[in-house]
Amino acid sequence: MPTINFVRYEAELVEDSGVVIGEQDQIDGGFSSLDGMLHWAIGHSDPATLKEAAKDAEKMSMDELQKRQLELKELVEKLKMPSDAKLMQIAIDDLKNSSLSLEDRHRALQELLILVEPIDNANDLSKSGGLSVVAGELNHSDTDVRKLAAWVIGKACQNNPFVQEQVLELGALTALIKMVNSSSAEEAGKALFAVSALIRNNIAGQDMFYAGHGYIMLQDVMSNGSLDIKLRRKSVFLVGDLAECQLQNTEKAELPIFNDRLFLKSVVDLIVVLDLDLQEKALTAIKTLLELKSVEPQILREFCGLEGALERMKLQLEESMVDEDKRDYAADVESLRGEVELIFRQKLGLL
């Protein structure tokens, strides 16, 4: 005869007994804990009834017991757990409170950061007007509030055209572009993440990015050697992403940034910065740029110095391959460098 877990059995009696939950518990939205529910159930049940119910439970098959366990789990979830939509609304209501402490404002944004990951939740946040509230936090005086708000927007926008459109309509892109120039590396990084998520595969967003001089922001970041290396990596990765999107939308006129000499030079210069990850991303971007009609190989050669940069990079990678820890990665980057050099020479008509 199967044995019964007594705690599970006690909880099941809440449903079996037919006893109505007390008024205060209804007001509070359920019991504060499973133990509280069990103690309440035991205290309001007749011992004889409990004993009889225990005998009945012992006669149940394993399938019946598992079914009852599932029913109990669903009951507890209904009693204890508010929906994601409710939790998001609570967080948004908190953000609307101008007297909310900074600590609680951070907490509300951190909760939203988790809640908006599922695409349905991100859509619900947009439909409820919550995105407008979060976008408003981009102008907050506190660095961490701005950083978290940008992070939430970026998470909500990822691969989500509906939310991208809503955020663009709110005018948040302009604020995010400005935030990338923040003296706080973390704020700048989250702002650039949000910009990337907002305009990825979004033609309207990319047009607004160009109109808002976002390309100048990218150029400044890529050209500034004193900035956090991670920010420079993200910047050149976005350049490659924009070029790739342009290749996939051949019916659309190519953005003017792709034949801007200074912009292209800021990309080329990165391949000789001693950081393998950055070099790889820069090479990948250049490889994609070389496929665009508006990118002139002679400009890359004469003004940007791509030919010489590729040669210097080759020597750097040879030195890196001496280091056992870097050897494999450096070899992979050298392979990519060779591909870029071949494509470049073909474009120049040298092969």
Side-chain angles (χ1 to χ4, degrees), residues 194-210:
V195 169
S196 300
L198 183 53
I199 66 176
R200 182 177 176 80
N201 296 322
N202 189 304
I203 300 300
Q206 291 172 17
D207 287 340
M208 293 174 67
F209 177 76
Y210 177 74

Side-chain angles (χ1 to χ4, degrees), residues 6 23 60 167 175 221 275 277 307 325:
F6 188 62
E23 180 181 351
M60 292 181 181
V167 175
V221 171
D275 180 88
D277 191 5
E307 192 172 35
D325 293 334

Side-chain angles (χ1 to χ4, degrees), residues 295-314:
V295 175
E296 299 179 24
Q298 286 297 340
I299 290 178
L300 289 174
R301 184 186 196 182
E302 296 170 7
F303 184 83
C304 303
L306 178 57
E307 192 172 35
L310 287 169
E311 286 298 320
R312 291 197 302 278
M313 185 182 188
K314 183 178 181 178

Side-chain angles (χ1 to χ4, degrees), residues 171-274:
L173 180 59
T174 301
L176 290 167
I177 290 173
K178 291 179 180 178
M179 284 172 60
V180 178
N181 296 317
S182 171
S183 58
S184 164
E186 288 190 359
E187 180 183 356
K190 296 310 179 189
L192 186 53
F193 161 70
V195 169
S196 300
L198 183 53
I199 66 176
R200 182 177 176 80
N201 296 322
N202 189 304
I203 300 300
Q206 291 172 17
D207 287 340
M208 293 174 67
F209 177 76
Y210 177 74
H213 303 293
Y215 68 99
I216 294 178
M217 173 271 290
L218 287 180
Q219 180 179 312
D220 289 344
V221 171
M222 290 187 291
S223 302
N224 191 341
S226 66
L227 291 179
D228 183 2
I229 196 71
K230 291 183 289 185
L231 194 65
R232 301 178 81 193
R233 291 173 190 157
K234 290 178 181 178
S235 295
V236 75
F237 182 83
L238 178 54
V239 172
D241 194 59
L242 291 171
E244 182 64 36
C245 184
Q246 186 73 72
L247 284 176
Q248 294 172 2
N249 294 274
T250 54
E251 73 286 351
K252 183 184 181 299
E254 293 183 0
L255 289 173
I257 60 173
F258 297 130
N259 58 20
D260 183 295
R261 295 184 177 198
L262 291 174
F263 182 81
L264 292 173
K265 190 175 189 307
S266 68
V267 178
V268 170
D269 287 346
L270 293 178
I271 68 173
V272 291
V273 176
L274 294 176

